[in-house]
Amino acid sequence: MLIDSHAHLDSPRYSDDREAMLRRAWDAGVGAVLAIGIGEEPAEMHQAYDICRQFKGQPGIPRLYASAGVYPHNTSEIDDAILAKLDGLLAAPEVIACGEIGLDYYHEGAPHATQREGLIRLLEIAAARKRPILIHCRPKDETTNAWDDLFEILEAHWRPTGLGGIMHCFGGNLEQARRSLDLGFLVSFAGNLTYPKAQPLRDVAARLPLDRLLVETDAPWLAPAPYRGKRNEPAWVNLTAQTLAGLRGVSEQEIAQATTKNFNRLFDLSPDVGN
Ligand SMILES: [Zn+2]
């Protein structure tokens, strides 16, 4: 069984076939999916949890968990109502993580200072609810300041909680991966691991300890080869797992077992939570 640690199941791109898409995932050996609750704006952060409840306990569908958070470029919208909504969602047992949150200096959007201040407020809520966090970190090409700023914030505001989290769709270098591990994070690889130009990333993935790795789709984005450019879906997480297995000279089954164990350990999951 594989776990897709990051998929946007609430995307409107699944409006016509969400249930069939989830059945394809189950048939492909995906036992659980973490549905990311950021919507297209903070007002929609409950949608992942709604999907989680909609399919709860249905046979032939992966166990679903949800997260809730505010995407870096939506941090200028943070107000007391949004923070209260996030806090309420994180109280639900199925909403196991706060995210994706973090810093994105790659795209134009919320000013960097607004992103940093927003992230710190979100960390306070997650810490109070004792929820691990899902981090999105994207620097501008050839720069490291997003990572530098992120680590500074996590050292001060997250390490003391001991809660850890996931570096989602990891795209950093070996040093940034090691700092993430040192902060108690798991490192999650997405479909871009399979792309021809991603050799530096594959070199990083080959060198990290297996007991700290996860795989994800980030669906509907980042479809792995040979589906690159198409709408992605959790069924295809096995292609990233295959690439990771090849890099490390282990079987795909070993990758599946290790990443599932890592996921369950981080979130302290008991079998009665989720689907
Ligand atoms: Zn995402």
Side-chain angles (χ1 to χ4, degrees):
M1 172 182 115
L2 276 163
I3 293 182
D4 180 355
S5 73
H6 193 112
H8 298 264
L9 300 183
D10 62 335
S11 166
R13 294 172 72 186
Y14 301 122
S15 313
D16 294 335
D17 69 340
R18 188 169 286 109
E19 181 173 344
M21 175 269 291
L22 290 170
R23 289 189 183 281
R24 283 194 293 275
W26 176 261
D27 292 342
V30 177
V33 180
L34 176 48
I36 304 305
I38 54 169
E40 290 183 340
E41 53 178 28
E44 297 177 351
M45 73 165 87
H46 61 279
Q47 291 180 163
Y49 179 43
D50 286 353
I51 288 169
C52 193
R53 283 189 298 179
Q54 182 188 347
F55 292 102
K56 190 179 173 105
Q58 286 195 25
I61 283 183
R63 178 180 291 212
L64 301 182
Y65 303 104
S67 74
V70 178
Y71 192 69
H73 286 304
N74 296 117
T75 46
S76 29
E77 297 166 49
I78 290 178
D79 59 17
D80 288 346
I82 284 169
L83 293 175
K85 179 170 176 162
L86 174 63
D87 184 58
L89 283 163
L90 294 181
E94 295 92 341
V95 184
I96 60 175
C98 178
E100 55 186 282
I101 60 176
L103 300 175
D104 187 314
Y105 295 176
Y106 182 82
H107 298 98
E108 288 298 314
H112 298 179
T114 306
Q115 293 188 38
R116 290 192 295 268
E117 286 156 24
L119 175 58
I120 291 168
R121 297 185 75 185
L122 298 168
L123 292 179
E124 284 165 8
I125 308 262
R129 288 290 178 195
K130 297 199 164 24
R131 293 293 191 253
I133 53 175
L134 314 174
I135 288 288
H136 167 108
C137 183
R138 184 135 189 223
K140 255 206 172 358
D141 288 342
E142 316 300 330
T143 69
T144 62
N145 54 344
W147 282 107
D148 298 340
D149 290 355
L150 176 71
F151 286 133
E152 191 180 315
I153 290 170
L154 294 180
E155 287 290 354
H157 299 272
W158 197 248
R159 185 191 285 277
T161 70
L163 290 164
I166 299 173
M167 291 298 174
H168 130 73
C169 190
F170 185 77
N173 60 29
L174 187 60
E175 190 203 329
Q176 288 148 355
R178 286 186 171 146
R179 283 200 73 176
S180 303
L181 298 182
D182 183 59
L183 276 158
F185 281 73
L186 302 180
V187 174
S188 183
F189 291 99
N192 53 337
L193 190 71
T194 68
Y195 297 168
K197 285 185 181 163
Q199 195 53 46
L201 188 60
R202 284 190 287 274
D203 292 342
V204 173
R207 294 175 70 177
L208 301 179
L210 189 53
D211 66 353
R212 307 297 293 280
L213 302 184
L214 296 173
V215 285
E216 64 172 76
T217 55
D218 202 16
W221 298 287
L222 279 177
Y227 301 120
R228 187 172 186 177
K230 295 206 164 69
R231 185 192 73 169
N232 197 2
E233 57 177 67
W236 296 344
V237 74
N238 60 3
L239 294 162
T240 299
Q242 275 165 21
T243 297
L244 193 57
L247 283 173
R248 305 184 62 99
V250 300
S251 67
E252 197 191 331
Q253 196 188 358
E254 273 177 82
I255 294 293
Q257 278 169 355
T259 52
T260 295
K261 199 171 156 192
N262 298 342
F263 185 91
N264 289 335
R265 187 182 63 237
L266 175 67
F267 295 112
D268 199 14
L269 292 173
S270 60
D272 59 335
V273 175
N275 210 2

